[in-house]
mmCIF file of all heavy atoms in Angstrom:
data_model
loop_
_atom_site.group_PDB
_atom_site.id
_atom_site.type_symbol
_atom_site.label_atom_id
_atom_site.label_comp_id
_atom_site.label_asym_id
_atom_site.label_seq_id
_atom_site.Cartn_x
_atom_site.Cartn_y
_atom_site.Cartn_z
ATOM 1 N N ALA A 199 -30.615 7.090 -13.730
ATOM 2 C CA ALA A 199 -30.449 8.039 -14.829
ATOM 3 C C ALA A 199 -30.087 9.428 -14.314
ATOM 4 O O ALA A 199 -29.239 10.124 -14.892
ATOM 5 C CB ALA A 199 -31.724 8.100 -15.664
ATOM 6 N N TYR A 202 -26.486 9.371 -13.485
ATOM 7 C CA TYR A 202 -25.657 9.373 -14.693
ATOM 8 C C TYR A 202 -25.551 10.780 -15.274
ATOM 9 O O TYR A 202 -24.484 11.186 -15.747
ATOM 10 C CB TYR A 202 -26.229 8.436 -15.749
ATOM 11 C CG TYR A 202 -26.283 6.982 -15.363
ATOM 12 C CD1 TYR A 202 -27.262 6.140 -15.894
ATOM 13 C CD2 TYR A 202 -25.377 6.432 -14.467
ATOM 14 C CE1 TYR A 202 -27.332 4.803 -15.562
ATOM 15 C CE2 TYR A 202 -25.437 5.094 -14.118
ATOM 16 C CZ TYR A 202 -26.420 4.282 -14.664
ATOM 17 O OH TYR A 202 -26.490 2.959 -14.320
ATOM 18 N N ILE A 203 -26.646 11.521 -15.227
ATOM 19 C CA ILE A 203 -26.632 12.895 -15.735
ATOM 20 C C ILE A 203 -25.641 13.727 -14.930
ATOM 21 O O ILE A 203 -24.823 14.473 -15.488
ATOM 22 C CB ILE A 203 -28.041 13.511 -15.677
ATOM 23 C CG1 ILE A 203 -28.954 12.836 -16.701
ATOM 24 C CG2 ILE A 203 -27.983 15.017 -15.935
ATOM 25 C CD1 ILE A 203 -30.418 13.206 -16.556
ATOM 26 N N ALA A 205 -23.144 12.606 -13.130
ATOM 27 C CA ALA A 205 -21.799 12.088 -13.361
ATOM 28 C C ALA A 205 -21.211 12.634 -14.650
ATOM 29 O O ALA A 205 -20.041 13.038 -14.703
ATOM 30 C CB ALA A 205 -21.831 10.561 -13.392
ATOM 31 N N ALA A 206 -22.010 12.648 -15.702
ATOM 32 C CA ALA A 206 -21.545 13.157 -16.990
ATOM 33 C C ALA A 206 -21.174 14.633 -16.885
ATOM 34 O O ALA A 206 -20.156 15.077 -17.432
ATOM 35 C CB ALA A 206 -22.609 12.946 -18.054
ATOM 36 N N LYS A 207 -21.990 15.404 -16.161
ATOM 37 C CA LYS A 207 -21.699 16.826 -15.981
ATOM 38 C C LYS A 207 -20.406 17.034 -15.211
ATOM 39 O O LYS A 207 -19.719 18.046 -15.393
ATOM 40 C CB LYS A 207 -22.859 17.516 -15.264
ATOM 41 C CG LYS A 207 -24.099 17.693 -16.121
ATOM 42 C CD LYS A 207 -25.205 18.386 -15.347
ATOM 43 C CE LYS A 207 -26.444 18.593 -16.216
ATOM 44 N NZ LYS A 207 -27.559 19.220 -15.453
ATOM 45 N N SER A 210 -17.343 12.391 -15.739
ATOM 46 C CA SER A 210 -17.167 10.941 -15.745
ATOM 47 C C SER A 210 -17.534 10.381 -17.113
ATOM 48 O O SER A 210 -18.699 10.431 -17.526
ATOM 49 C CB SER A 210 -18.059 10.297 -14.673
ATOM 50 O OG SER A 210 -18.082 8.892 -14.826
ATOM 51 N N ILE A 211 -16.556 9.837 -17.818
ATOM 52 C CA ILE A 211 -16.835 9.240 -19.121
ATOM 53 C C ILE A 211 -17.720 8.019 -18.955
ATOM 54 O O ILE A 211 -18.648 7.790 -19.742
ATOM 55 C CB ILE A 211 -15.521 8.868 -19.836
ATOM 56 C CG1 ILE A 211 -14.685 10.120 -20.101
ATOM 57 C CG2 ILE A 211 -15.825 8.161 -21.161
ATOM 58 C CD1 ILE A 211 -13.355 9.836 -20.780
ATOM 59 N N ALA A 212 -17.466 7.232 -17.910
ATOM 60 C CA ALA A 212 -18.303 6.058 -17.659
ATOM 61 C C ALA A 212 -19.742 6.467 -17.414
ATOM 62 O O ALA A 212 -20.681 5.820 -17.883
ATOM 63 C CB ALA A 212 -17.756 5.268 -16.473
ATOM 64 N N GLY A 213 -19.940 7.563 -16.685
ATOM 65 C CA GLY A 213 -21.286 8.064 -16.455
ATOM 66 C C GLY A 213 -21.945 8.515 -17.740
ATOM 67 O O GLY A 213 -23.144 8.299 -17.955
ATOM 68 N N GLU A 214 -21.164 9.137 -18.616
ATOM 69 C CA GLU A 214 -21.685 9.586 -19.906
ATOM 70 C C GLU A 214 -22.113 8.395 -20.760
ATOM 71 O O GLU A 214 -23.164 8.428 -21.417
ATOM 72 C CB GLU A 214 -20.608 10.399 -20.620
ATOM 73 C CG GLU A 214 -21.095 11.146 -21.840
ATOM 74 C CD GLU A 214 -20.072 12.165 -22.289
ATOM 75 O OE1 GLU A 214 -18.977 11.757 -22.726
ATOM 76 O OE2 GLU A 214 -20.363 13.369 -22.190
ATOM 77 N N VAL A 215 -21.325 7.323 -20.725
ATOM 78 C CA VAL A 215 -21.664 6.131 -21.497
ATOM 79 C C VAL A 215 -22.927 5.472 -20.948
ATOM 80 O O VAL A 215 -23.817 5.063 -21.704
ATOM 81 C CB VAL A 215 -20.487 5.134 -21.498
ATOM 82 C CG1 VAL A 215 -20.892 3.815 -22.138
ATOM 83 C CG2 VAL A 215 -19.298 5.731 -22.240
ATOM 84 N N GLU A 216 -23.025 5.369 -19.621
ATOM 85 C CA GLU A 216 -24.235 4.797 -19.027
ATOM 86 C C GLU A 216 -25.464 5.633 -19.354
ATOM 87 O O GLU A 216 -26.546 5.095 -19.600
ATOM 88 C CB GLU A 216 -24.078 4.672 -17.512
ATOM 89 C CG GLU A 216 -23.146 3.567 -17.069
ATOM 90 C CD GLU A 216 -23.764 2.186 -17.187
ATOM 91 O OE1 GLU A 216 -24.856 2.053 -17.756
ATOM 92 O OE2 GLU A 216 -23.140 1.227 -16.704
ATOM 93 N N LEU A 217 -25.307 6.946 -19.342
ATOM 94 C CA LEU A 217 -26.426 7.821 -19.698
ATOM 95 C C LEU A 217 -26.840 7.583 -21.142
ATOM 96 O O LEU A 217 -28.038 7.524 -21.457
ATOM 97 C CB LEU A 217 -26.025 9.285 -19.485
ATOM 98 C CG LEU A 217 -27.064 10.329 -19.904
ATOM 99 C CD1 LEU A 217 -28.383 10.126 -19.167
ATOM 100 C CD2 LEU A 217 -26.519 11.748 -19.655
ATOM 101 N N ALA A 218 -25.861 7.438 -22.023
ATOM 102 C CA ALA A 218 -26.165 7.173 -23.425
ATOM 103 C C ALA A 218 -26.927 5.858 -23.583
ATOM 104 O O ALA A 218 -27.894 5.767 -24.350
ATOM 105 C CB ALA A 218 -24.877 7.143 -24.245
ATOM 106 N N ILE A 219 -26.499 4.836 -22.838
ATOM 107 C CA ILE A 219 -27.189 3.539 -22.903
ATOM 108 C C ILE A 219 -28.621 3.666 -22.399
ATOM 109 O O ILE A 219 -29.561 3.121 -22.993
ATOM 110 C CB ILE A 219 -26.405 2.489 -22.097
ATOM 111 C CG1 ILE A 219 -25.067 2.186 -22.789
ATOM 112 C CG2 ILE A 219 -27.213 1.204 -21.942
ATOM 113 C CD1 ILE A 219 -24.125 1.337 -21.975
ATOM 114 N N ALA A 220 -28.791 4.403 -21.293
ATOM 115 C CA ALA A 220 -30.133 4.600 -20.745
ATOM 116 C C ALA A 220 -31.019 5.344 -21.738
ATOM 117 O O ALA A 220 -32.197 4.996 -21.928
ATOM 118 C CB ALA A 220 -30.045 5.358 -19.423
ATOM 119 N N LEU A 221 -30.475 6.369 -22.378
ATOM 120 C CA LEU A 221 -31.242 7.118 -23.376
ATOM 121 C C LEU A 221 -31.597 6.243 -24.573
ATOM 122 O O LEU A 221 -32.714 6.295 -25.090
ATOM 123 C CB LEU A 221 -30.432 8.331 -23.841
ATOM 124 C CG LEU A 221 -30.382 9.533 -22.901
ATOM 125 C CD1 LEU A 221 -29.258 10.473 -23.291
ATOM 126 C CD2 LEU A 221 -31.721 10.275 -22.925
ATOM 127 N N PHE A 222 -30.649 5.452 -25.018
ATOM 128 C CA PHE A 222 -30.883 4.612 -26.191
ATOM 129 C C PHE A 222 -31.977 3.591 -25.914
ATOM 130 O O PHE A 222 -32.839 3.323 -26.759
ATOM 131 C CB PHE A 222 -29.589 3.908 -26.598
ATOM 132 C CG PHE A 222 -29.665 3.240 -27.938
ATOM 133 C CD1 PHE A 222 -29.415 3.962 -29.097
ATOM 134 C CD2 PHE A 222 -29.991 1.900 -28.049
ATOM 135 C CE1 PHE A 222 -29.490 3.356 -30.347
ATOM 136 C CE2 PHE A 222 -30.077 1.282 -29.290
ATOM 137 C CZ PHE A 222 -29.828 2.012 -30.442
ATOM 138 N N ILE A 227 -35.401 7.039 -18.257
ATOM 139 C CA ILE A 227 -35.365 8.350 -18.901
ATOM 140 C C ILE A 227 -36.011 8.200 -20.270
ATOM 141 O O ILE A 227 -36.044 7.103 -20.839
ATOM 142 C CB ILE A 227 -33.903 8.841 -19.025
ATOM 143 C CG1 ILE A 227 -33.839 10.321 -19.388
ATOM 144 C CG2 ILE A 227 -33.116 7.992 -20.011
ATOM 145 C CD1 ILE A 227 -32.429 10.895 -19.266
ATOM 146 N N ALA A 228 -36.572 9.299 -20.785
ATOM 147 C CA ALA A 228 -37.240 9.226 -22.084
ATOM 148 C C ALA A 228 -36.279 8.757 -23.171
ATOM 149 O O ALA A 228 -35.149 9.251 -23.266
ATOM 150 C CB ALA A 228 -37.823 10.590 -22.449
ATOM 151 N N ASN A 230 -34.240 8.433 -26.407
ATOM 152 C CA ASN A 230 -33.792 9.425 -27.384
ATOM 153 C C ASN A 230 -32.518 8.885 -28.039
ATOM 154 O O ASN A 230 -31.404 9.092 -27.550
ATOM 155 C CB ASN A 230 -33.525 10.774 -26.709
ATOM 156 C CG ASN A 230 -33.267 11.884 -27.709
ATOM 157 O OD1 ASN A 230 -32.680 11.661 -28.763
ATOM 158 N ND2 ASN A 230 -33.692 13.088 -27.376
ATOM 159 N N GLU A 231 -32.682 8.172 -29.140
ATOM 160 C CA GLU A 231 -31.543 7.521 -29.779
ATOM 161 C C GLU A 231 -30.558 8.527 -30.379
ATOM 162 O O GLU A 231 -29.345 8.293 -30.371
ATOM 163 C CB GLU A 231 -32.035 6.546 -30.846
ATOM 164 C CG GLU A 231 -32.779 5.356 -30.261
ATOM 165 C CD GLU A 231 -33.177 4.340 -31.313
ATOM 166 O OE1 GLU A 231 -32.932 4.583 -32.515
ATOM 167 O OE2 GLU A 231 -33.728 3.275 -30.930
ATOM 168 N N ALA A 232 -31.064 9.654 -30.874
ATOM 169 C CA ALA A 232 -30.174 10.653 -31.464
ATOM 170 C C ALA A 232 -29.276 11.278 -30.393
ATOM 171 O O ALA A 232 -28.075 11.464 -30.603
ATOM 172 C CB ALA A 232 -30.988 11.732 -32.169
ATOM 173 N N GLN A 233 -29.860 11.592 -29.236
ATOM 174 C CA GLN A 233 -29.047 12.150 -28.154
ATOM 175 C C GLN A 233 -28.062 11.111 -27.640
ATOM 176 O O GLN A 233 -26.912 11.434 -27.323
ATOM 177 C CB GLN A 233 -29.935 12.642 -27.017
ATOM 178 C CG GLN A 233 -29.160 13.363 -25.915
ATOM 179 C CD GLN A 233 -30.049 13.874 -24.805
ATOM 180 O OE1 GLN A 233 -31.278 13.762 -24.866
ATOM 181 N NE2 GLN A 233 -29.455 14.438 -23.768
ATOM 182 N N ALA A 234 -28.515 9.867 -27.570
ATOM 183 C CA ALA A 234 -27.608 8.796 -27.153
ATOM 184 C C ALA A 234 -26.421 8.703 -28.098
ATOM 185 O O ALA A 234 -25.272 8.554 -27.661
ATOM 186 C CB ALA A 234 -28.358 7.466 -27.112
ATOM 187 N N ALA A 235 -26.673 8.811 -29.384
ATOM 188 C CA ALA A 235 -25.592 8.731 -30.368
ATOM 189 C C ALA A 235 -24.583 9.852 -30.171
ATOM 190 O O ALA A 235 -23.373 9.640 -30.271
ATOM 191 C CB ALA A 235 -26.176 8.784 -31.781
ATOM 192 N N ARG A 236 -25.069 11.050 -29.853
ATOM 193 C CA ARG A 236 -24.157 12.178 -29.623
ATOM 194 C C ARG A 236 -23.270 11.913 -28.407
ATOM 195 O O ARG A 236 -22.069 12.207 -28.429
ATOM 196 C CB ARG A 236 -24.955 13.470 -29.445
ATOM 197 C CG ARG A 236 -25.592 13.990 -30.729
ATOM 198 C CD ARG A 236 -26.115 15.402 -30.568
ATOM 199 N NE ARG A 236 -27.272 15.457 -29.688
ATOM 200 C CZ ARG A 236 -28.536 15.310 -30.089
ATOM 201 N NH1 ARG A 236 -28.803 15.073 -31.368
ATOM 202 N NH2 ARG A 236 -29.535 15.399 -29.233
ATOM 203 N N LEU A 237 -23.864 11.364 -27.364
ATOM 204 C CA LEU A 237 -23.081 11.071 -26.167
ATOM 205 C C LEU A 237 -22.081 9.948 -26.415
ATOM 206 O O LEU A 237 -20.943 9.999 -25.942
ATOM 207 C CB LEU A 237 -24.013 10.702 -25.010
ATOM 208 C CG LEU A 237 -24.853 11.844 -24.441
ATOM 209 C CD1 LEU A 237 -25.809 11.320 -23.376
ATOM 210 C CD2 LEU A 237 -23.967 12.934 -23.850
ATOM 211 N N PHE A 238 -22.511 8.921 -27.138
ATOM 212 C CA PHE A 238 -21.575 7.851 -27.482
ATOM 213 C C PHE A 238 -20.386 8.408 -28.255
ATOM 214 O O PHE A 238 -19.237 8.036 -28.005
ATOM 215 C CB PHE A 238 -22.270 6.775 -28.324
ATOM 216 C CG PHE A 238 -23.111 5.807 -27.533
ATOM 217 C CD1 PHE A 238 -24.385 5.464 -27.974
ATOM 218 C CD2 PHE A 238 -22.636 5.219 -26.379
ATOM 219 C CE1 PHE A 238 -25.162 4.558 -27.266
ATOM 220 C CE2 PHE A 238 -23.402 4.312 -25.667
ATOM 221 C CZ PHE A 238 -24.666 3.984 -26.106
ATOM 222 N N ARG A 239 -20.675 9.277 -29.205
ATOM 223 C CA ARG A 239 -19.591 9.831 -30.028
ATOM 224 C C ARG A 239 -18.631 10.662 -29.185
ATOM 225 O O ARG A 239 -17.415 10.574 -29.344
ATOM 226 C CB ARG A 239 -20.164 10.674 -31.170
ATOM 227 C CG ARG A 239 -19.070 11.196 -32.103
ATOM 228 C CD ARG A 239 -19.614 11.915 -33.319
ATOM 229 N NE ARG A 239 -18.532 12.297 -34.203
ATOM 230 C CZ ARG A 239 -17.976 11.524 -35.107
ATOM 231 N NH1 ARG A 239 -18.426 10.285 -35.282
ATOM 232 N NH2 ARG A 239 -16.980 11.948 -35.856
ATOM 233 N N ARG A 240 -19.189 11.455 -28.266
ATOM 234 C CA ARG A 240 -18.328 12.288 -27.429
ATOM 235 C C ARG A 240 -17.406 11.430 -26.561
ATOM 236 O O ARG A 240 -16.219 11.721 -26.416
ATOM 237 C CB ARG A 240 -19.179 13.206 -26.548
ATOM 238 C CG ARG A 240 -18.368 14.269 -25.830
ATOM 239 C CD ARG A 240 -19.227 15.391 -25.316
ATOM 240 N NE ARG A 240 -20.116 14.968 -24.239
ATOM 241 C CZ ARG A 240 -20.943 15.779 -23.616
ATOM 242 N NH1 ARG A 240 -21.039 17.059 -24.008
ATOM 243 N NH2 ARG A 240 -21.718 15.343 -22.639
ATOM 244 N N ALA A 241 -17.956 10.364 -25.986
ATOM 245 C CA ALA A 241 -17.136 9.470 -25.175
ATOM 246 C C ALA A 241 -16.166 8.666 -26.031
ATOM 247 O O ALA A 241 -15.036 8.381 -25.625
ATOM 248 C CB ALA A 241 -18.024 8.535 -24.361
ATOM 249 N N ALA A 242 -16.591 8.302 -27.226
ATOM 250 C CA ALA A 242 -15.729 7.550 -28.137
ATOM 251 C C ALA A 242 -14.514 8.377 -28.537
ATOM 252 O O ALA A 242 -13.385 7.870 -28.584
ATOM 253 C CB ALA A 242 -16.515 7.124 -29.376
ATOM 254 N N ILE A 243 -14.730 9.645 -28.810
ATOM 255 C CA ILE A 243 -13.638 10.542 -29.183
ATOM 256 C C ILE A 243 -12.642 10.682 -28.044
ATOM 257 O O ILE A 243 -11.437 10.894 -28.259
ATOM 258 C CB ILE A 243 -14.199 11.914 -29.603
ATOM 259 C CG1 ILE A 243 -14.931 11.789 -30.947
ATOM 260 C CG2 ILE A 243 -13.109 12.976 -29.689
ATOM 261 C CD1 ILE A 243 -15.704 13.022 -31.339
ATOM 262 N N ARG A 244 -13.128 10.514 -26.807
ATOM 263 C CA ARG A 244 -12.261 10.606 -25.638
ATOM 264 C C ARG A 244 -11.598 9.266 -25.307
ATOM 265 O O ARG A 244 -10.921 9.131 -24.296
ATOM 266 C CB ARG A 244 -13.063 11.124 -24.441
ATOM 267 C CG ARG A 244 -13.523 12.565 -24.622
ATOM 268 C CD ARG A 244 -14.667 12.922 -23.697
ATOM 269 N NE ARG A 244 -14.260 13.026 -22.312
ATOM 270 C CZ ARG A 244 -15.099 13.165 -21.295
ATOM 271 N NH1 ARG A 244 -16.422 13.202 -21.533
ATOM 272 N NH2 ARG A 244 -14.653 13.261 -20.062
ATOM 273 N N GLY A 245 -11.800 8.274 -26.175
ATOM 274 C CA GLY A 245 -11.076 7.028 -26.060
ATOM 275 C C GLY A 245 -11.770 5.901 -25.338
ATOM 276 O O GLY A 245 -11.156 4.860 -25.098
ATOM 277 N N ASN A 246 -13.058 6.052 -25.003
ATOM 278 C CA ASN A 246 -13.757 4.995 -24.291
ATOM 279 C C ASN A 246 -14.123 3.867 -25.249
ATOM 280 O O ASN A 246 -14.865 4.070 -26.219
ATOM 281 C CB ASN A 246 -15.012 5.559 -23.620
ATOM 282 C CG ASN A 246 -15.726 4.525 -22.782
ATOM 283 O OD1 ASN A 246 -16.511 3.734 -23.302
ATOM 284 N ND2 ASN A 246 -15.476 4.534 -21.492
ATOM 285 N N ILE A 248 -15.979 1.141 -24.878
ATOM 286 C CA ILE A 248 -17.391 0.741 -24.907
ATOM 287 C C ILE A 248 -18.193 1.705 -25.769
ATOM 288 O O ILE A 248 -19.036 1.291 -26.571
ATOM 289 C CB ILE A 248 -17.949 0.662 -23.479
ATOM 290 C CG1 ILE A 248 -17.274 -0.479 -22.729
ATOM 291 C CG2 ILE A 248 -19.462 0.467 -23.486
ATOM 292 C CD1 ILE A 248 -17.569 -0.508 -21.259
ATOM 293 N N ALA A 249 -17.926 3.004 -25.615
ATOM 294 C CA ALA A 249 -18.616 3.993 -26.440
ATOM 295 C C ALA A 249 -18.276 3.787 -27.912
ATOM 296 O O ALA A 249 -19.148 3.914 -28.782
ATOM 297 C CB ALA A 249 -18.235 5.399 -26.001
ATOM 298 N N GLN A 250 -17.019 3.468 -28.211
ATOM 299 C CA GLN A 250 -16.623 3.215 -29.596
ATOM 300 C C GLN A 250 -17.380 2.019 -30.170
ATOM 301 O O GLN A 250 -17.853 2.059 -31.311
ATOM 302 C CB GLN A 250 -15.112 2.977 -29.658
ATOM 303 C CG GLN A 250 -14.289 4.218 -29.348
ATOM 304 C CD GLN A 250 -12.824 3.927 -29.133
ATOM 305 O OE1 GLN A 250 -12.414 2.770 -29.034
ATOM 306 N NE2 GLN A 250 -12.011 4.974 -29.048
ATOM 307 N N ARG A 252 -20.345 0.822 -29.095
ATOM 308 C CA ARG A 252 -21.777 1.139 -29.239
ATOM 309 C C ARG A 252 -22.012 2.075 -30.419
ATOM 310 O O ARG A 252 -22.995 1.948 -31.142
ATOM 311 C CB ARG A 252 -22.314 1.760 -27.956
ATOM 312 C CG ARG A 252 -22.210 0.883 -26.720
ATOM 313 C CD ARG A 252 -22.930 -0.450 -26.896
ATOM 314 N NE ARG A 252 -22.993 -1.179 -25.638
ATOM 315 C CZ ARG A 252 -22.087 -2.040 -25.207
ATOM 316 N NH1 ARG A 252 -21.004 -2.296 -25.951
ATOM 317 N NH2 ARG A 252 -22.235 -2.650 -24.050
ATOM 318 N N LEU A 253 -21.078 3.001 -30.624
ATOM 319 C CA LEU A 253 -21.204 3.921 -31.760
ATOM 320 C C LEU A 253 -21.090 3.147 -33.068
ATOM 321 O O LEU A 253 -21.830 3.409 -34.029
ATOM 322 C CB LEU A 253 -20.131 5.001 -31.668
ATOM 323 C CG LEU A 253 -20.206 6.137 -32.682
ATOM 324 C CD1 LEU A 253 -21.529 6.896 -32.568
ATOM 325 C CD2 LEU A 253 -19.030 7.104 -32.485
ATOM 326 N N ILE A 256 -24.459 1.447 -33.708
ATOM 327 C CA ILE A 256 -25.580 2.277 -34.164
ATOM 328 C C ILE A 256 -25.328 2.815 -35.574
ATOM 329 O O ILE A 256 -26.276 3.041 -36.331
ATOM 330 C CB ILE A 256 -25.903 3.410 -33.163
ATOM 331 C CG1 ILE A 256 -24.755 4.386 -33.004
ATOM 332 C CG2 ILE A 256 -26.306 2.835 -31.813
ATOM 333 C CD1 ILE A 256 -25.086 5.550 -32.083
ATOM 334 N N GLY A 262 -30.373 6.405 -34.593
ATOM 335 C CA GLY A 262 -29.855 7.618 -33.969
ATOM 336 C C GLY A 262 -28.930 8.401 -34.864
ATOM 337 O O GLY A 262 -28.659 9.582 -34.618
ATOM 338 N N VAL A 263 -28.428 7.751 -35.915
ATOM 339 C CA VAL A 263 -27.551 8.382 -36.912
ATOM 340 C C VAL A 263 -27.864 7.736 -38.255
ATOM 341 O O VAL A 263 -28.389 6.615 -38.308
ATOM 342 C CB VAL A 263 -26.056 8.177 -36.580
ATOM 343 C CG1 VAL A 263 -25.643 8.939 -35.334
ATOM 344 C CG2 VAL A 263 -25.733 6.690 -36.430
ATOM 345 N N TRP A 273 -14.926 2.762 -36.126
ATOM 346 C CA TRP A 273 -15.070 2.723 -34.671
ATOM 347 C C TRP A 273 -14.908 1.298 -34.144
ATOM 348 O O TRP A 273 -14.380 1.086 -33.046
ATOM 349 C CB TRP A 273 -16.406 3.327 -34.246
ATOM 350 C CG TRP A 273 -16.456 4.813 -34.432
ATOM 351 C CD1 TRP A 273 -17.224 5.517 -35.305
ATOM 352 C CD2 TRP A 273 -15.667 5.782 -33.719
ATOM 353 N NE1 TRP A 273 -16.966 6.865 -35.192
ATOM 354 C CE2 TRP A 273 -16.022 7.052 -34.234
ATOM 355 C CE3 TRP A 273 -14.703 5.701 -32.723
ATOM 356 C CZ2 TRP A 273 -15.440 8.228 -33.759
ATOM 357 C CZ3 TRP A 273 -14.123 6.879 -32.250
ATOM 358 C CH2 TRP A 273 -14.497 8.117 -32.767
#
Side-chain angles (χ1 to χ4, degrees):
Y202 297 151
I203 291 170
K207 288 180 179 178
S210 170
I211 298 179
E214 191 167 66
V215 172
E216 287 284 8
L217 176 58
I219 292 171
L221 283 164
F222 191 85
I227 193 169
N230 189 326
E231 293 184 357
Q233 186 179 356
R236 288 192 291 271
L237 290 176
F238 281 135
R239 184 174 184 84
R240 190 163 68 179
I243 290 171
R244 293 161 71 189
N246 184 277
I248 293 170
Q250 292 168 350
R252 300 302 189 270
L253 187 60
I256 63 177
V263 292
W273 289 113

